[in-house]
Amino acid sequence: MPELPEVETIRRGLKSFILHKKIKKIEVFCDKSFQGNPKIAENKTVKNLRRFGKALIIDLDQNLSLMIHLRMTGQLIYDGSSPERYAAGHPSDNFTAELPNKQTRVLLRFNDGGTLYFNDQRKFGFIKILETKAVEDDPFIKKLAKEPWVMTADELYEKLQKHQNSPIKATILDQSIICGLGNIYADESLFSAKIHPLQKSGTLTKEETKLLLKSAREVMDKSIASGGSTMATYVKADGTKGDYLELFAQVFRRENQPCPRCGQKIKKIKVAGRGTHICPHCQTLKEGNRHA
DNA sequence: CTAGGATCCTGTCAGC
DNA sequence: TGCTGACAGGATCCTA
């Protein structure tokens, strides 16, 4: 679930907590969740935090890096020596729950007493060790396309022609076509650009492509500025959940509520196997463009 | 090559 | 209450 803005939020926040700190111990509770020998990363110091699309990279000294992908249900929670907790990723009660718990797959203990918990209900996410110099050669990183801020409308338009029969939503979810969008921001971007998610990718005009790209940037900029959809800094015993979706999302998980633009009921449909939210009035399919 | 569906895994919720 | 199927903020693998 965490998409680019959430991972960027994690990167920024985590940086202030763990930069220059040394990993004292790594505990792995689920082998599937950690690739490589965790011992190798112990007694190494955090040098930098980077992000490639939805992947977070923690660079350590001695040419080592940790690559973290949260996939659908991953979350990172930093529990420091102070009463503050910094949590981001899949929103759940884990942000305030006892840690470690049933969903804790890996934890990293730092030399100052802080602990970073990697929780992941569905075990799709992972942490893996690789050489820092090999990060950009990792197959996942390597196939990532440009992010919306550096991609031009012409580039995107060309890519859409190569997938002309796929619904536009499926196309923009593909990280090798444009990088960073997930189910939330795909829906929000398409709503913002008034494009129906089932419209065939090849039928978007250059103007529509430009608008879609602009919308993706704006939607994600706005989310990052507000700390991602799930970011939360919790004070112990404070049960508040960061429910930003209410402030932020125009259509996502708002089925049956009025469209903020025209007031018509938002509908939920299925596109590319994913739950998809649209305003049937604002996002219409042009004649002949309907996806089969 | 593209397109679409199944699949990995755990948990929750609606409906019977 | 207990069971069942659908669904979930991702990406890969398999098939046609």
Side-chain angles (χ1 to χ4, degrees):
Chain A
M1 30 191 307
E3 305 175 33
L4 186 152
E6 287 71 45
V7 179
E8 178 61 17
T9 298
I10 295 170
R11 189 190 70 79
R12 292 181 186 181
L14 212 49
K15 193 166 181 172
S16 67
F17 289 106
I18 68 169
L19 194 62
H20 307 313
K21 288 185 187 168
K22 186 185 277 190
I23 297 173
K24 206 168 91 185
K25 188 152 182 28
I26 297 179
E27 296 178 32
V28 177
F29 303 104
C30 172
D31 288 341
K32 185 178 191 287
S33 302
F34 198 101
Q35 300 167 24
N37 180 2
K39 291 268 176 233
I40 298 172
E42 292 179 352
N43 296 312
K44 304 291 188 292
T45 301
V46 175
K47 289 298 187 190
N48 194 18
L49 283 89
R50 293 182 286 164
R51 183 187 56 73
F52 293 85
K54 303 173 191 172
L56 178 71
I57 308 293
I58 300 178
D59 291 316
L60 308 172
D61 56 5
Q62 299 179 46
N63 188 34
L64 280 179
S65 293
L66 297 174
M67 173 176 164
I68 304 177
H69 201 306
L70 301 174
R71 292 279 182 99
M72 296 277 267
T73 55
Q75 31 180 221
L76 288 171
I77 304 171
Y78 183 80
D79 203 354
S81 40
S82 72
E84 294 230 349
R85 226 180 228 193
Y86 182 85
H90 184 72
S92 82
D93 294 339
N94 275 335
F95 288 179
T96 50
E98 277 299 303
L99 291 171
N101 60 36
K102 213 167 73 175
Q103 298 186 348
T104 303
R105 307 305 178 199
V106 179
L107 66 78
L108 287 71
R109 296 193 192 282
F110 289 88
N111 60 341
D112 70 334
T115 306
L116 180 64
Y117 297 88
F118 173 66
N119 287 1
D120 185 17
Q121 178 187 113
R122 295 174 74 179
K123 300 184 181 176
F124 292 166
F126 59 87
I127 300 179
K128 79 176 188 183
I129 297 186
L130 57 177
E131 293 189 341
T132 301
K133 64 181 181 188
V135 167
E136 291 179 54
D137 292 325
D138 180 89
F140 174 80
I141 304 283
K142 209 165 185 174
K143 65 189 270 300
L144 292 176
K146 291 180 183 173
E147 296 181 3
W149 299 275
V150 291
M151 180 173 286
T152 67
D154 285 341
E155 282 176 296
L156 181 56
Y157 184 82
E158 288 308 310
K159 284 166 173 275
L160 296 189
Q161 304 318 305
K162 292 186 182 162
H163 302 268
Q164 53 178 311
N165 291 318
S166 282
I168 184 63
K169 175 164 175 179
T171 305
I172 61 173
L173 282 174
D174 185 335
Q175 304 297 299
S176 69
I177 292 168
I178 185 165
C179 173
L181 296 171
N183 210 28
I184 295 178
Y185 299 103
D187 280 7
E188 294 295 325
S189 302
L190 289 165
F191 170 78
S192 175
K194 299 185 181 180
I195 295 169
H196 196 290
L198 280 175
Q199 188 174 332
K200 286 174 151 192
S201 301
T203 68
L204 267 74
T205 63
K206 288 212 172 186
E207 272 311 301
E208 286 173 321
T209 305
K210 200 173 161 184
L211 181 58
L212 178 57
L213 192 56
K214 180 168 171 275
S215 298
R217 289 174 189 158
E218 288 175 353
V219 163
M220 293 206 289
D221 273 336
K222 194 176 163 194
S223 177
I224 292 170
S226 67
S229 68
T230 57
M231 173 275 197
T233 304
Y234 288 100
V235 176
K236 252 183 192 166
D238 176 0
T240 317
K241 276 191 256 180
D243 197 343
Y244 107 116
L245 271 177
E246 298 206 349
L247 306 170
F248 172 90
Q250 306 286 296
V251 289
F252 195 80
R253 290 204 193 132
R254 293 178 86 90
E255 57 268 34
N256 296 322
Q257 294 179 41
C259 166
R261 219 160 30 202
C262 76
Q264 272 211 12
K265 255 193 187 181
I266 290 162
K267 278 177 65 177
K268 185 171 180 185
I269 60 175
K270 186 155 262 193
V271 179
R274 314 291 301 274
T276 299
H277 310 75
I278 58 161
C279 169
H281 179 252
C282 296
Q283 294 162 275
T284 54
L285 278 174
K286 282 177 295 186
E287 205 58 41
N289 287 351
R290 178 176 288 276
H291 181 264

